[in-house]
Structures are given as structure tokens and as C-alpha cells.
Amino acid sequence: MSNFKPTVFRVLIAISIVHLINDTMQAIIPAILPILKETMNLSYTQAGIIVFALNMTSSVMQPVVGMYADRKPAPYMLPIGMGLTTIGVFGIAIAPNYWAILLSVLFIGLGSAIFHPEASRVAYMAGGSRRGLAQSIFQVGGNSGSSLASIMTVLIFVPFGQFGAIWFVLITGCAIAVQLYVARWYQDYITTNPRPVRKSSDAKMPPGRKKQITFAIYLIIVLLFVRTWYNSSISIYYPFQLMEEFNFSLQQAQIYIFLFAAAGALGTFLGGPLSDRYGRRNVLFYSMVAAAPLALLLPYADPFWAYPIIALNGFIVMSGWSVTVVYAQELVPGKIGTVSGLTTGLAFGLGAIGAVAIGGLSDSLGLSLVMQLASYLPLFGFLAILLPSDQKLREWSAES
């Protein structure tokens, strides 16, 4: 008998749309940074701290939310999280000073922390037997939202300034309504599909297995580290480099970031189905190794060649993002919320640290040199070959 489980596309599309809105709200922060930097006379370090406050709030809380939901699923945390994001977005629009911006950013980060682990669990459940595809549909919503940052800068924040964020309160209100629909489906699912009682797996786990899994988790953390640091260098600081070296306007510089993010969204969407067919580890490996030459070229590219380089680079490097989440979920089955919160939370947290570190180094060493150093980060992707193969994960799952 086949163990094929159907994919619930209506739920996947709904949660992907909300992911788009959630990450669009987070994208408000880097989108508005150049304006805040000018109007509030911020340094690069202060700009980095704003991103740090956003991402670290999300990072710290995501694993906590995931662990809680693994023990006691809470479907209606989803609309509650979006409600907190709404408060934060409203605060951004009316914040009179730097500290009010930081407080508003904390609300957005907390809302995101509640959203991501539970939404990733919904994608896992709704995906049925096509988890790679499901995670790609879910993640492409987030990446599409992130790609809107540059567009928002040009169309909203340049003409309307900081108060332009007020329009997004209407969007988050719609997202709360969609979250209520998803929460009802989630509640019905856990009612009709009760979780089996699991015995402790540590007692029957073969000697050395736990060490292999622990090593793989640490290696995933390293790969997340370098991927998110590299993405931070491009999405946050590359516009400043373009403005410094080529005298670009903010609108001109943001076109490159839109290309990087939009191509990354396409790569995220295709990465999951490719991993379903060719293996998670293979896609993880090539998504970083194949991007390395392009990353090394980008800091030296003139404005013309930067267009195709940054677009292709974004497509390749982000094709492994959703795959990383699915690989981690299959590495530690039974703890979907914890693993989802840990991986996505780490991505935000490490991105936050990277934003501050790159900002601080840019203030002291110069932005151009720091961007050149950051271009070497994708070379760490060669470490992915040390991860257990997909076949090994299937064998472990069958034995447990």
C-alpha cells in the first residue's frame, strides 16, 4: 500500500500569502533604514542595531514558541502574532525618535516569532507527501515579501517618508482574517489526526547515532550562519556601497536589491521540488557552492554587470533556504515546531548579529573592504557534503 498523503494546496497558499505579508512587514525595517539614517542622523552601527532588535526578538522567541507548540499545539497563536505585528507597524509610522523605533521593531519581531514555527508546522501538515514542495510554497511567500522592501522604498517611503508605513496596517488586518481561516483548519487537523504517543527514542537509538545527529545540527547552524550573514551584507549594505562608489540615488540602488530578492524568491520556490527529486543535501550543497564565484565577482562588478550577477546569485543562494528547513525537520522528526523555530529563528538571529557586525566593521574598516570580505562566505557551503545523506535519514527514520 502506498503511504502517499494528499497536499492541501488551499491551506498552503493561504499560509504563504500570510508569510508574504508577515515578511513584508519585516522588510519595512531595512526599506526605511536609509530614510531613518538621514532624518535621525544615525550611524551605520545604529542602523544595524535596529535590524538587530528586530531579528533577535524573533530569533530568541521562535524556538520557545516551537517547543511549547510541540507539547501543546496552539492554532490561534497565528492571528495573535499578526496582531502584535500590526501594533509594531503602527508604531513605526508614528515613532518620534530612535528609541520609539526600537520599541516598535520589538513588536514586529515578537509577532514574527509567533508566526514562523506554527506556520511552518501548518506547511508540514498540509504538504502531505510533498514536503519539499510545501515548504517552498510557504517560504516563497516570505521571500516575495522580503523582495518588496526595495519597491516600498521607492513607491512609499521616498515620497511619504516614515508615516507611509501607516498604509500597511490595513494589510495586516487582512492577514489576521486569513490567519483565522488557517487556524480553524489547523484545529480540525489536530482533532482528526491526533499525534501518536511516542516512546523515548534516545533509549533505543544505536550508539553514535545521537552524535551524528548532533554534529549535523551544528553543521546546519554553521551553514545558516554564513548564508544569513551573506544575505545581510547584500540586502542591507550593498545599496550603501552602490551609493558611495557610483553616486547612485536610493531608488537606483534599490533596483539591485529587488533583483536579488525577487530572483531569490524564485530560487526558493524551485529549490523544494528539486530537493524532492534530487535530494535535500545535494540542493543544500550546490545552492552555496555554485553561488560562490558570483559572490566573489559582485563587489568588483560595474553597474551594468552587477544586474545579471546579483540576480543569478540571489536565485542560486536562496534555492537552498526552504530545503534547509525540511532537512532539519526530517533529521529530528517529531519536533517540527522546535526544529522550525530553531532554524528560522537562527536565521533571523544570525542575520541580526551579522547586520550589527557588518555595520560596525564598515564604520571602522570601510564599507567596500567589508563587502569584499563578505563575498567569501558562500565558500563555506563545501561543508554541506559532510551532512548525512538523504538515504541515511530515511534509514534512521525507518529504524526509529
Side-chain angles (χ1 to χ4, degrees), residues 243-268:
M243 288 188 285
E244 284 185 8
E245 295 188 3
F246 301 110
N247 294 317
F248 273 22
S249 67
L250 178 58
Q251 293 95 321
Q252 288 174 311
Q254 288 296 332
I255 293 174
Y256 292 86
I257 307 309
F258 172 74
L259 285 174
F260 179 77
L266 180 60
T268 297

Side-chain angles (χ1 to χ4, degrees), residues 283-301:
V283 174
L284 281 176
F285 177 82
Y286 287 109
S287 69
M288 295 187 70
V289 171
L294 295 167
L296 291 169
L297 284 173
L298 184 60
Y300 308 98

